Protein backbone atom coordinates (compact mmCIF):
# COMPACT_ATOMS: atom_id res chain seq x y z
CA UNK A 1 0.00 0.00 0.00
CA UNK A 2 1.10 3.58 -0.58
CA UNK A 3 1.83 5.40 2.68
CA UNK A 4 3.05 8.68 1.22
CA UNK A 5 3.63 9.75 -2.35
CA UNK A 6 6.27 7.32 -3.70
CA UNK A 7 6.70 5.53 -0.35
CA UNK A 8 5.10 2.10 -0.23
CA UNK A 9 4.72 -0.70 2.29
CA UNK A 10 5.20 -3.91 0.32
CA UNK A 11 5.64 -6.49 3.10
CA UNK A 12 4.59 -7.23 6.67
CA UNK A 13 2.52 -10.12 7.97
CA UNK A 14 0.98 -8.24 10.92
CA UNK A 15 -0.79 -6.06 8.36
CA UNK A 16 -1.67 -9.07 6.21
CA UNK A 17 0.44 -7.76 3.33
CA UNK A 18 2.59 -10.90 3.31
CA UNK A 19 2.05 -14.36 4.79
CA UNK A 20 4.66 -16.82 6.00
CA UNK A 21 3.06 -19.62 8.04
CA UNK A 22 -0.35 -20.19 9.59
CA UNK A 23 -0.88 -18.31 12.83
CA UNK A 24 2.32 -16.25 12.60
CA UNK A 25 2.05 -12.49 12.95
CA UNK A 26 5.71 -11.68 13.53
CA UNK A 27 7.57 -13.86 11.01
CA UNK A 28 7.79 -11.10 8.43
CA UNK A 29 8.69 -7.56 9.40
CA UNK A 30 7.48 -4.59 7.41
CA UNK A 31 9.29 -3.89 4.14
CA UNK A 32 9.16 -0.53 2.40
CA UNK A 33 10.05 0.90 -1.00
CA UNK A 34 11.05 4.49 -1.68
CA UNK A 35 10.63 5.32 -5.37
CA UNK A 36 13.09 7.79 -6.88
CA UNK A 37 13.77 8.90 -10.43
CA UNK A 38 16.99 6.86 -10.35
CA UNK A 39 15.64 3.61 -8.92
CA UNK A 40 14.19 2.03 -5.79
CA UNK A 41 15.41 2.04 -2.20
CA UNK A 42 14.22 -0.76 0.09
CA UNK A 43 13.96 -0.54 3.87
CA UNK A 44 14.24 -4.06 5.36
CA UNK A 45 13.50 -7.10 3.22
CA UNK A 46 11.51 -9.56 5.32
CA UNK A 47 12.26 -13.16 6.17
CA UNK A 48 13.09 -14.29 2.63
CA UNK A 49 10.33 -16.86 2.21
CA UNK A 50 7.91 -14.03 1.39
CA UNK A 51 10.11 -12.27 -1.14
CA UNK A 52 7.99 -13.48 -4.11
CA UNK A 53 4.95 -11.93 -2.38
CA UNK A 54 6.86 -8.68 -1.83
CA UNK A 55 7.79 -8.61 -5.51
CA UNK A 56 4.16 -9.30 -6.47
CA UNK A 57 3.01 -6.39 -4.30
CA UNK A 58 5.62 -4.14 -5.86
CA UNK A 59 4.48 -4.97 -9.37
CA UNK A 60 0.92 -3.97 -8.46
CA UNK A 61 2.29 -0.43 -8.00
CA UNK A 62 4.42 -0.66 -11.17
CA UNK A 63 7.58 -1.01 -9.08
CA UNK A 64 10.08 -3.28 -10.79
CA UNK A 65 12.00 -5.49 -8.31
CA UNK A 66 14.98 -5.34 -10.66
CA UNK A 67 15.17 -1.59 -9.97
CA UNK A 68 16.00 -2.09 -6.29
CA UNK A 69 19.43 -0.50 -6.01
CA UNK A 70 19.89 -0.57 -2.24
CA UNK A 71 18.37 -2.10 0.89
CA UNK A 72 18.80 -0.36 4.23
CA UNK A 73 18.51 -2.63 7.27
CA UNK A 74 17.11 -1.43 10.59
CA UNK A 75 18.55 -4.50 12.37
CA UNK A 76 19.65 -8.08 11.87
CA UNK A 77 16.64 -10.09 13.07
CA UNK A 78 15.44 -12.81 10.71
CA UNK A 79 12.06 -11.20 10.07
CA UNK A 80 13.77 -8.04 8.80
CA UNK A 81 16.94 -9.31 7.14
CA UNK A 82 16.41 -13.00 6.36
CA UNK A 83 15.84 -12.28 2.67
CA UNK A 84 19.04 -10.29 2.35
CA UNK A 85 21.08 -13.02 0.69
CA UNK A 86 18.45 -13.37 -2.04
CA UNK A 87 18.57 -9.66 -2.86
CA UNK A 88 22.35 -9.75 -2.64
CA UNK A 89 22.31 -12.41 -5.37
CA UNK A 90 20.49 -10.01 -7.69
CA UNK A 91 23.04 -7.26 -7.10
CA UNK A 92 21.31 -5.17 -4.44
CA UNK A 93 23.68 -3.23 -2.17
CA UNK A 94 23.11 -3.14 1.59
CA UNK A 95 23.57 -0.40 4.18
CA UNK A 96 23.39 -0.98 7.95
CA UNK A 97 24.98 -0.16 11.28
CA UNK A 98 28.30 -1.87 12.04
CA UNK A 99 26.59 -4.08 14.64
CA UNK A 100 23.93 -5.21 12.16
CA UNK A 101 26.52 -5.74 9.43
CA UNK A 102 28.56 -7.97 11.73
CA UNK A 103 25.50 -9.98 12.75
CA UNK A 104 24.22 -10.71 9.23
CA UNK A 105 27.74 -11.58 8.06
CA UNK A 106 28.03 -14.23 10.77
CA UNK A 107 24.38 -15.30 10.70
CA UNK A 108 24.68 -16.12 14.41
CA UNK A 109 22.08 -16.06 17.20
CA UNK A 110 21.79 -12.27 16.97
CA UNK A 111 19.76 -12.94 13.81
CA UNK A 112 17.31 -14.99 15.89
CA UNK A 113 16.83 -17.90 13.53
CA UNK A 114 15.91 -19.99 16.62
CA UNK A 115 12.75 -17.93 17.10
CA UNK A 116 11.45 -18.87 13.65
CA UNK A 117 12.93 -22.39 13.50
CA UNK A 118 14.88 -21.33 10.43
CA UNK A 119 18.53 -20.98 9.48
CA UNK A 120 19.80 -17.51 8.65
CA UNK A 121 21.85 -17.39 5.43
CA UNK A 122 24.73 -14.92 5.96
CA UNK A 123 25.53 -12.10 3.56
CA UNK A 124 27.79 -9.07 3.48
CA UNK A 125 26.71 -5.45 3.94
CA UNK A 126 28.33 -3.04 1.48
CA UNK A 127 28.37 0.09 3.62
CA UNK A 128 28.15 0.71 7.36
CA UNK A 129 26.83 3.91 8.89
CA UNK A 130 27.17 5.20 12.45
CA UNK A 131 24.95 7.21 14.76
CA UNK A 132 24.41 10.74 13.47
CA UNK A 133 25.94 9.99 10.09
CA UNK A 134 24.26 11.35 6.99
CA UNK A 135 24.47 9.41 3.75
CA UNK A 136 22.86 9.74 0.33
CA UNK A 137 21.27 7.01 -1.77
CA UNK A 138 19.84 7.78 -5.21
CA UNK A 139 19.69 11.47 -4.31
CA UNK A 140 17.88 10.92 -0.98
CA UNK A 141 19.73 11.99 2.18
CA UNK A 142 19.27 9.76 5.22
CA UNK A 143 20.18 10.54 8.82
CA UNK A 144 21.28 7.59 10.94
CA UNK A 145 19.98 7.16 14.50
CA UNK A 146 21.59 4.23 16.31
CA UNK A 147 19.06 3.21 18.98
CA UNK A 148 20.24 -0.08 20.50
CA UNK A 149 18.41 -2.16 23.07
CA UNK A 150 15.93 -4.26 21.12
CA UNK A 151 19.11 -5.43 19.46
CA UNK A 152 22.54 -3.86 19.64
CA UNK A 153 22.33 -2.89 15.98
CA UNK A 154 18.84 -1.41 16.09
CA UNK A 155 18.83 1.73 13.94
CA UNK A 156 16.29 4.27 12.73
CA UNK A 157 16.70 6.28 9.54
CA UNK A 158 15.22 9.71 8.91
CA UNK A 159 14.56 11.55 5.66
CA UNK A 160 12.92 14.79 4.61
CA UNK A 161 10.00 13.92 2.33
CA UNK A 162 7.50 16.44 0.98
CA UNK A 163 8.45 18.86 3.76
CA UNK A 164 7.88 16.18 6.39
CA UNK A 165 10.40 14.52 8.69
CA UNK A 166 9.79 10.83 8.08
CA UNK A 167 11.53 8.23 10.25
CA UNK A 168 11.80 4.51 9.52
CA UNK A 169 12.01 3.33 13.12
CA UNK A 170 12.42 -0.44 12.83
CA UNK A 171 11.60 -2.17 16.12
CA UNK A 172 12.60 0.66 18.45
CA UNK A 173 8.91 1.12 19.22
CA UNK A 174 6.45 -1.72 19.77
CA UNK A 175 3.22 -1.92 17.82
CA UNK A 176 -0.14 -0.66 19.00
CA UNK A 177 -1.19 -4.33 19.08
CA UNK A 178 1.85 -5.61 20.95
CA UNK A 179 2.98 -3.27 23.71
CA UNK A 180 5.38 -0.38 23.92
CA UNK A 181 8.64 -2.16 23.14
CA UNK A 182 10.19 -4.31 20.46
CA UNK A 183 10.44 -8.01 21.30
CA UNK A 184 12.56 -8.67 24.40
CA UNK A 185 13.88 -12.16 23.63
CA UNK A 186 16.89 -11.28 21.49
CA UNK A 187 20.30 -12.54 22.57
CA UNK A 188 21.55 -8.96 22.70
CA UNK A 189 18.46 -7.34 24.24
CA UNK A 190 19.34 -4.86 27.00
CA UNK A 191 16.77 -2.96 29.10
CA UNK A 192 19.12 -0.27 30.39
CA UNK A 193 20.51 0.55 26.95
CA UNK A 194 17.01 0.36 25.44
CA UNK A 195 15.71 2.91 27.97
CA UNK A 196 18.49 5.31 27.07
CA UNK A 197 17.67 4.88 23.36
CA UNK A 198 14.03 5.69 24.03
CA UNK A 199 15.09 8.76 26.01
CA UNK A 200 17.07 9.99 23.01
CA UNK A 201 14.39 9.07 20.50
CA UNK A 202 11.70 10.90 22.51
CA UNK A 203 13.54 14.15 21.72
CA UNK A 204 13.28 13.66 17.96
CA UNK A 205 10.60 15.71 16.24
CA UNK A 206 8.90 13.62 13.56
CA UNK A 207 5.92 14.12 11.30
CA UNK A 208 5.60 10.44 10.34
CA UNK A 209 7.02 7.33 12.01
CA UNK A 210 7.12 4.18 9.85
CA UNK A 211 7.75 1.10 12.04
CA UNK A 212 9.13 -2.41 11.73
CA UNK A 213 5.76 -4.07 12.37
CA UNK A 214 2.14 -3.01 12.24
CA UNK A 215 0.72 0.41 11.50
CA UNK A 216 2.49 3.64 10.68
CA UNK A 217 2.05 6.79 12.77
CA UNK A 218 0.88 9.90 10.93
CA UNK A 219 -0.25 12.01 13.89
CA UNK A 220 2.14 13.09 16.66
CA UNK A 221 4.42 10.03 16.56
CA UNK A 222 6.66 11.57 19.18
CA UNK A 223 3.79 11.10 21.63
CA UNK A 224 3.98 7.35 21.01
CA UNK A 225 7.72 7.35 21.74
CA UNK A 226 7.15 9.27 24.97
CA UNK A 227 4.60 6.66 26.05
CA UNK A 228 7.16 3.91 25.43
CA UNK A 229 9.81 5.83 27.37
CA UNK A 230 7.42 6.29 30.27
CA UNK A 231 6.72 2.56 30.32
CA UNK A 232 10.43 1.75 30.30
CA UNK A 233 11.14 4.14 33.18
CA UNK A 234 8.38 2.55 35.26
CA UNK A 235 9.09 -1.09 34.43
CA UNK A 236 12.83 -1.34 33.96
CA UNK A 237 14.41 0.76 36.73
Amino acid sequence: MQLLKNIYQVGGDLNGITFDVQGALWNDGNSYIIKTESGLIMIDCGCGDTLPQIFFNMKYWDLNPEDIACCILTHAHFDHAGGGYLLKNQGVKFIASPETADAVLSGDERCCGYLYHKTFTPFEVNQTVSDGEKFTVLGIEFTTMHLPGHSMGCTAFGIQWENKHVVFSGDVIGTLLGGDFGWGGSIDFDKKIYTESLRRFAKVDMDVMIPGHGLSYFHKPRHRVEVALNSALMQWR
Side-chain angles (χ1 to χ4, degrees):
M1 56 186 173
Q2 186 166 215
L3 302 177
L4 295 167
K5 186 176 181 181
N6 291 323
I7 297 182
Y8 304 84
Q9 184 176 347
V10 293
D13 56 359
L14 189 60
N15 299 69
I17 296 175
T18 48
F19 178 92
D20 185 29
V21 295
Q22 186 67 39
L25 295 176
W26 310 97
N27 275 35
D28 210 34
N30 291 353
S31 298
Y32 302 100
I33 292 291
I34 303 173
K35 181 182 178 181
T36 79
E37 293 180 355
S38 304
L40 305 178
I41 304 166
M42 194 174 206
I43 311 293
D44 286 341
C45 55
C47 67
D49 292 332
T50 61
L51 197 60
Q53 298 171 46
I54 290 172
F55 286 174
F56 179 85
N57 294 336
M58 290 176 61
K59 291 173 183 176
Y60 176 86
W61 291 101
D62 294 323
L63 304 169
N64 187 348
E66 294 181 0
D67 291 338
I68 302 173
C70 176
C71 181
I72 301 171
L73 297 176
T74 62
H75 59 301
H77 287 171
F78 201 111
D79 52 328
H80 295 264
Y85 76 101
L86 296 170
L87 290 176
K88 190 78 174 180
N89 289 340
Q90 75 175 46
V92 175
K93 294 182 178 180
F94 280 81
I95 297 175
S97 70
E99 294 83 358
T100 294
D102 184 68
V104 299
L105 182 62
S106 69
D108 63 20
E109 289 176 319
R110 290 172 293 174
C111 301
C112 301
Y114 60 87
L115 180 64
Y116 307 99
H117 314 292
K118 297 180 180 182
T119 300
F120 190 93
T121 301
F123 62 95
E124 186 173 1
V125 166
N126 301 84
Q127 178 183 348
T128 59
V129 289
S130 301
D131 183 47
E133 183 175 344
K134 296 182 184 295
F135 62 96
T136 301
V137 181
L138 302 182
I140 307 300
E141 184 179 74
F142 291 81
T143 300
T144 308
M145 290 173 270
H146 185 215
L147 299 167
H150 169 69
S151 74
M152 285 301 101
C154 208
T155 310
F157 297 93
I159 61 173
Q160 291 296 320
W161 196 261
E162 296 185 317
N163 297 316
K164 297 180 186 294
H165 184 202
V166 177
V167 175
F168 296 89
S169 57
D171 286 358
V172 178
I173 300 297
T175 77
L176 292 173
L177 299 175
D180 293 326
F181 316 118
W183 173 66
S186 179
I187 292 292
D188 55 351
F189 177 86
D190 188 295
K191 289 181 179 179
K192 183 177 180 179
I193 292 174
Y194 199 160
T195 301
E196 177 60 21
S197 290
L198 289 171
R199 187 188 69 81
R200 291 177 52 225
F201 198 30
K203 298 177 181 179
V204 177
D205 286 319
M206 298 173 279
D207 297 297
V208 181
M209 184 169 65
I210 301 180
H213 293 272
L215 305 174
S216 293
Y217 302 83
F218 293 92
H219 183 68
K220 297 183 178 180
R222 185 173 172 181
H223 180 276
R224 173 70 173 133
V225 183
E226 291 171 340
V227 168
L229 172 61
N230 185 48
S231 292
L233 291 172
M234 290 190 297
Q235 296 178 39
W236 291 350
R237 288 194 302 174

